[in-house]
């Protein structure tokens, strides 16, 4: 039996049953999962999850930008925000310092390109700067995920990355920087071996790519 997908499978929010199935699978794989109504609720919840003064690195994410979470962390003054710091550092003379700061923060806050109903997170990147922290370098990781990113399985997740996310990200980078994006690295998190480290805030609404 084949599971039917909606006509626009990569943009429509997954219904409650699919969200709950993904949440249950992620929980079984060691992730802490919270299903929240919307990005505004996630924005408030983030403040409860991150202690004041923590060193926080935000992955490049439309979800974080659109929700206001990126601004809260990087411009709010509550945390030791790492992204604004590395953006003004010299890419040649301070490359090692940039790498260390981004790879092992106290907390990384990011999003994903897909979450599967079998309990995996899929993160694609052009530069790879956020991947070490997500993979285990950060003491804690928090991912904010719109409901449209829930897919049945890993094959569909990879198709979502190439067919849906990449064109949108390329349009963004062309406008912002003058060059296209690329899927140079893909990280698949199948489980979290350190209980309490990784939290997925799974939203009932669509947001981001």
């Amino acid at each position: 039996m084949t599971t039917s997908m909606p006509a626009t499978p990569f943009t429509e929010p997954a219904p409650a049953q699919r969200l709950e199935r993904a949440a249950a699978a992620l929980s079984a794989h060691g992730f802490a999962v919270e299903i929240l109504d919307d990005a505004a609720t996630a924005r408030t919840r983030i403040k409860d999850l991150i202690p004041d003064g923590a060193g926080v690195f935000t992955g490049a994410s439309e979800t974080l930008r659109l929700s206001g979470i990126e601004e809260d962390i990087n411009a709010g003054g509550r945390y030791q925000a790492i992204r604004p710091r590395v953006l003004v550092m010299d890419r040649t003379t301070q490359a090692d310092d940039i790498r260390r700061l981004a790879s092992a923060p106290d907390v990384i806050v990011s999003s994903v390109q897909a979450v599967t109903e079998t309990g995996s997170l899929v993160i694609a990147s052009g530069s790879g700067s956020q991947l070490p922290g997500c993979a285990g370098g950060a003491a804690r990781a928090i991912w904010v995920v719109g409901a449209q990113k829930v897919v049945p399985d890993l094959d569909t997740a990879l198709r979502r990355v190439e067919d849906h996310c990449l064109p949108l990200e390329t349009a963004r980078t062309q406008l912002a920087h003058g060059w296209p994006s690329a899927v140079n690295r893909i990280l698949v998190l199948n489980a979290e071996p350190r209980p309490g480290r990784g939290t997925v805030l799974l939203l009932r609404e669509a947001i981001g790519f």
Side-chain angles (χ1 to χ4, degrees):
M1 179 177 178
T2 303
T3 301
S4 62
M5 293 290 289
T8 52
F10 298 141
T11 58
E12 293 297 317
Q17 185 178 24
R18 292 182 60 211
L19 289 177
E20 290 166 4
R21 189 154 53 236
L26 288 166
S27 296
H29 293 173
F31 297 96
V33 187
E34 301 179 25
I35 298 179
L36 304 178
D37 284 337
D38 50 34
T41 308
R43 187 177 183 179
T44 299
R45 182 66 178 127
I46 287 281
K47 297 173 183 177
D48 297 330
L49 292 172
I50 306 175
D52 291 357
V56 185
F57 182 63
T58 54
S61 164
E62 281 295 283
T63 298
L64 298 188
R65 184 185 69 82
L66 293 169
S67 66
I69 293 171
E70 178 184 79
E71 183 177 4
D72 290 345
I73 292 172
N74 292 328
R78 183 173 179 177
Y79 313 109
Q80 297 180 48
I82 293 172
R83 179 167 287 277
R85 182 177 171 185
V86 301
L87 286 177
V88 299
M89 295 171 71
D90 186 276
R91 288 292 184 273
T92 301
T93 62
Q94 296 179 291
D96 283 345
D97 293 328
I98 292 171
R99 174 176 53 79
R100 293 186 185 101
L101 285 167
S103 297
D106 296 328
V107 182
I108 186 165
V109 180
S110 192
S111 189
V112 303
Q113 278 61 55
V115 56
T116 73
E117 292 177 48
T118 54
S120 297
L121 302 175
V122 177
I123 308 168
S125 177
S127 69
S129 61
Q130 79 273 36
L131 299 187
C134 288
R140 292 194 62 194
I142 301 169
W143 297 280
V144 184
V145 184
Q148 84 280 14
K149 298 182 180 183
V150 174
V151 297
D153 50 38
L154 186 56
D155 285 344
T156 312
L158 297 176
R159 184 160 55 86
R160 186 179 197 280
V161 168
E162 293 286 350
D163 295 350
H164 178 74
C165 300
L166 180 58
L168 292 173
E169 179 63 8
T170 284
R172 186 194 72 80
T173 57
Q174 286 280 22
L175 184 63
H177 308 297
W179 59 73
S181 186
V183 180
N184 291 327
R185 294 163 173 82
I186 295 180
L187 174 67
V188 179
L189 301 176
N190 289 322
E192 176 50 69
R194 293 156 53 190
R197 177 189 174 269
T199 298
V200 181
L201 301 182
L202 191 55
L203 311 183
R204 292 189 175 94
E205 70 171 2
I207 185 171
F209 294 163

